[in-house]
């Protein structure tokens, strides 16, 4: 019979889940917590965070293709395809053919999609306010610039 030892798993904010953690781990930990808050905020209107992202990007950049939408939404093309099909069935978006390329379709958010997005934004804005509640506006601006700089970094590890 093998002896097992039970080691206490540190709580969030302790040990390798806190000050001793890699920044990348902390980013993922924070993203997981944020995603859970988003899922909870959007659950009553039957929208997922990826669907919200797709609607947001289509409202901001009308006429995107599936491939462009996948890149902007940080989702796989396969995931975007499923989301687009479901949102089209619900009437939240429409497709129109590309003027030159027959296989490419442009996507547009419909009036119904805009109303749905507005409902989503009310919930998401509350999550965002809670997220920033412990930061001074200047600190929030620093965090935004830092996160953007990380995304822009194309050093050797990003290749």
């Amino acid at each position: 019979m093998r002896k097992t030892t039970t080691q206490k798993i540190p709580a969030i904010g302790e040990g390798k889940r806190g000050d001793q953690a890699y920044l990348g781990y902390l980013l993922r930990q924070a993203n997981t917590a944020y995603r859970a808050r988003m899922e909870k905020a959007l659950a009553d209107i039957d929208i997922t965070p990826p669907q919200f992202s797709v609607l947001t990007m289509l409202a901001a950049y009308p006429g995107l293709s599936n491939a462009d939408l996948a890149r902007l939404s940080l989702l796989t093309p396969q995931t975007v395809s499923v989301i687009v099909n479901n949102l089209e069935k619900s009437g939240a978006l429409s497709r129109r053919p590309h003027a030159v390329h027959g296989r490419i379709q442009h996507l547009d958010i419909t009036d119904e999609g805009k109303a749905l997005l507005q409902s989503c934004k009310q919930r998401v804005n509350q999550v965002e306010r809670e997220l920033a509640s412990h930061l001074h506006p200047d600190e929030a601006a620093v965090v935004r610039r830092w996160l953007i700089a990380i995304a822009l970094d194309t050093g050797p590890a990003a290749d």
Side-chain angles (χ1 to χ4, degrees):
M1 191 173 215
R2 200 165 89 186
K3 224 184 213 185
T4 59
T5 58
T6 307
Q7 187 175 10
K8 181 183 175 245
I9 296 174
I12 292 173
E14 296 178 355
K16 291 291 187 183
R17 297 181 78 195
D19 289 344
Q20 299 171 21
Y22 289 104
L23 286 175
Y25 178 84
L26 293 174
L27 285 169
R28 183 169 169 95
Q29 182 174 256
N31 181 61
T32 300
Y34 180 75
R35 170 121 185 189
R37 288 183 185 121
M38 290 283 289
E39 287 172 351
K40 185 177 178 184
L42 296 169
D44 69 315
I45 54 175
D46 246 359
I47 291 292
T48 65
Q51 289 171 322
F52 170 70
S53 178
V54 164
L55 288 171
T56 298
M57 292 305 174
L58 278 179
Y61 310 105
L64 292 172
S65 68
N66 270 29
D68 290 336
L69 187 55
R71 282 187 286 279
L72 279 175
S73 299
L74 307 175
L75 299 167
T76 66
Q78 296 84 353
T79 299
V80 167
S81 181
V82 170
I83 290 172
V84 164
N85 286 337
N86 289 337
L87 290 174
E88 183 182 33
K89 284 178 192 170
S90 74
L93 63 82
S94 63
R95 301 177 201 239
R96 59 185 162 84
H98 188 278
V100 177
H101 303 288
R103 291 178 43 130
I104 298 175
Q105 294 183 327
H106 291 286
L107 304 169
D108 294 295
I109 191 167
T110 63
D111 288 340
E112 188 174 333
K114 289 175 186 174
L116 177 59
L117 179 58
Q118 191 57 37
S119 185
C120 291
K121 283 181 177 181
Q122 292 171 352
R123 290 159 175 79
V124 171
N125 286 340
Q126 179 60 37
V127 172
E128 290 285 316
R129 281 190 295 277
E130 291 167 9
L131 183 66
S133 66
H134 301 289
L135 296 172
H136 183 277
D138 292 342
E139 293 172 316
V142 169
V143 170
R144 285 179 191 274
R145 286 192 306 270
W146 179 69
L147 292 170
I148 291 165
I150 290 170
L152 288 171
D153 185 12
T154 56
D159 292 338

